């Protein structure tokens, strides 16, 4: 049986210059239209600097029954934000989203899954700020941000909050975050279905996508923080995205992540200490973070 997935959307504005058209707004509305058409509720993680400029995006997501979560004060990876700034900017970002949405903001998604051993200082800060869960880790080697060795199922940080790691499927030699937007665009649907069938009964499956992935009309521009290869990949096969997501939404969809976390008994989860990250194996040391430029 294929396990249902929760749907999540990371709302961000990745334009390298404010002089370029602000396509994030129209594309976010378009994806919310799609969710409404299928009558599904998603977890919508919003970058606070975009929410501040375009509060109507947060208000609409909340009014339509979606969970609103935080995708960073700005779209900057955690190791670049740094520990000194993180608590202050994240506190005010959460409070902005709470004011706009009228909901408690319980969920945090690090930009680019950048919760890694070098940024594990963020875990107790997120717990102190009142987040009840994070879905910010990729528990495998990744050319950008990965934390190999973490559990692949939901776990609890010893600092308190629950972590829902990005779901992976094993294909020969590789663990792929097969429900992520890039993989939805690039891989055949059969890979997604294979992963959903192989998932264990206690895995919390979630897909993530971005409004820009639905936008084939946006001209290519490189992103300094991910390098040329990853920037190019972000522009591939965008014309496929809506069709792929429509197929996924036509199947049974699970509740937003905040509700699923609320239904898990904390005592059933393994506990991980953020200060004792698992040691990386040889392959992970060679491949992890290779495409990062910052
Ligand atoms: Zn993002």
């Amino acid at each position: 049986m294929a396990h249902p997935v929760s749907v999540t959307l990371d709302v961000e504005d990745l334009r390298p210059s404010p002089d370029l058209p602000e396509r994030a707004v129209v594309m976010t509305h378009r994806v919310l239209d799609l969710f409404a058409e299928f009558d599904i509720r998603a977890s919508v993680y919003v970058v606070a600097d975009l929410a501040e400029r375009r509060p109507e995006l947060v208000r609409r997501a909340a009014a339509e029954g979606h969970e609103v979560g935080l995708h960073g004060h700005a779209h900057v990876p955690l190791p670049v934000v740094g520990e000194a700034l993180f608590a202050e900017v994240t506190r005010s970002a959460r409070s902005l989203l709470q004011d706009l949405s009228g909901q408690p903001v319980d969920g945090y998604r690090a930009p680019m899954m950048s919760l890694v051993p070098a940024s594990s200082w963020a875990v107790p800060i997120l717990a102190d700020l009142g987040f009840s869960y994070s879905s910010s880790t990729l528990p495998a080697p990744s050319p950008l941000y990965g934390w190999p060795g973490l559990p692949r199922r939901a776990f609890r940080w010893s600092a308190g909050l629950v972590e829902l790691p990005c779901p992976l499927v094993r294909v020969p030699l590789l663990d792929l975050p097969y429900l992520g937007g890039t993989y939805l665009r690039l891989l055949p649907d059969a890979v997604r279905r294979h992963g959903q069938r192989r998932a264990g009964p206690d895995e919390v499956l979630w897909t993530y996508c971005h409004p820009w992935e639905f936008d084939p009309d946006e001209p290519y521009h490189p992103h300094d923080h991910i390098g040329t290869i990853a920037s190019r990949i972000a522009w591939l096969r965008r014309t496929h995205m809506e069709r792929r997501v429509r197929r996924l939404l036509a199947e049974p969809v699970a509740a937003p992540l905040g509700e699923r976390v609320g239904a898990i008994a904390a005592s059933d989860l393994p506990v991980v200490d953020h200060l004792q990250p698992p040691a990386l194996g040889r392959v992970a040391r060679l491949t992890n973070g290779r495409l990062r430029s910052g």
Side-chain angles (χ1 to χ4, degrees):
M1 189 194 86
H3 291 263
V5 301
S6 296
V7 175
T8 81
L9 179 70
D10 293 351
V11 177
E12 58 203 27
D13 177 4
L14 301 184
R15 284 175 300 166
S17 156
D19 300 333
L20 292 164
E22 191 178 39
R23 300 186 64 85
V25 176
V26 64
M27 294 314 301
T28 300
H29 282 301
R30 205 174 294 173
V31 179
L32 291 175
D33 289 346
L34 191 61
F35 292 170
E37 182 186 329
F38 283 85
D39 196 21
I40 64 114
R41 290 186 307 122
S43 299
V44 178
Y45 303 98
V46 187
V47 176
D49 63 5
L50 176 58
E52 196 163 21
R53 281 201 321 280
R54 300 294 183 175
E56 71 274 15
L57 297 177
V58 178
R59 292 195 185 109
R60 177 178 174 190
E64 295 184 356
H66 301 297
E67 173 191 9
V68 172
L70 180 62
H71 190 39
H73 72 289
H75 202 264
V76 177
L78 296 183
V80 180
V81 177
E83 185 174 4
L85 257 189
F86 184 71
E88 186 188 329
V89 294
T90 307
R91 180 183 291 109
S92 62
R94 179 172 185 249
S95 129
L96 171 75
L97 291 191
Q98 294 193 144
D99 290 347
L100 293 175
S101 66
Q103 306 175 359
V105 167
D106 295 327
Y108 179 81
R109 158 102 21 103
M112 303 170 67
M113 305 293 169
S114 60
L115 182 51
V116 291
S119 56
S120 67
W121 41 258
V123 170
I125 296 174
L126 290 169
D128 282 352
L129 292 177
F131 291 97
S132 61
Y133 79 94
S134 146
S135 53
S136 302
T137 51
L138 176 60
S142 159
L144 292 170
Y145 292 94
W147 190 331
L150 280 182
R152 296 177 175 217
R153 295 190 161 75
F155 64 89
R156 190 164 59 79
W157 295 106
S158 52
L161 76 166
V162 170
E163 181 71 30
L164 303 174
C166 186
L168 298 171
V169 69
R170 168 59 60 101
V171 296
L173 299 176
L174 284 175
D175 293 304
L176 295 180
Y178 66 106
L179 291 171
T182 298
Y183 299 87
L184 290 182
R185 280 184 288 124
L186 300 184
L187 299 177
D189 266 349
V191 175
R192 172 174 67 79
R193 296 210 167 90
H194 168 71
Q196 284 179 255
R197 279 195 303 271
R198 291 290 303 270
D202 56 348
E203 267 192 74
V204 177
L205 297 186
W206 46 271
T207 183
Y208 66 87
C209 53
H210 309 85
W212 50 261
E213 292 186 283
F214 294 77
D215 187 5
D217 299 327
E218 186 178 32
Y220 171 77
H221 40 76
H223 296 293
D224 290 345
H225 61 298
I226 58 174
T228 309
I229 296 174
S231 294
R232 281 283 169 196
I233 290 171
W235 257 260
L236 291 175
R237 288 167 69 98
R238 290 186 178 188
T239 50
H240 292 239
M241 188 62 174
E242 183 172 331
R243 194 165 66 241
R244 289 287 169 76
V245 171
R246 280 181 174 276
R247 282 190 206 135
L248 191 148
L249 298 183
E251 297 168 12
V253 162
L257 292 183
E259 291 177 27
R260 297 183 75 182
V261 167
I264 300 174
S267 55
D268 289 345
L269 298 176
V271 177
V272 174
D273 183 344
H274 69 280
L275 293 175
Q276 295 185 331
L280 298 190
R282 205 166 130 258
V283 173
R285 280 202 308 275
L286 288 173
T287 55
N288 203 34
R290 296 303 281 193
L291 293 184
R292 243 186 260 164
S293 56

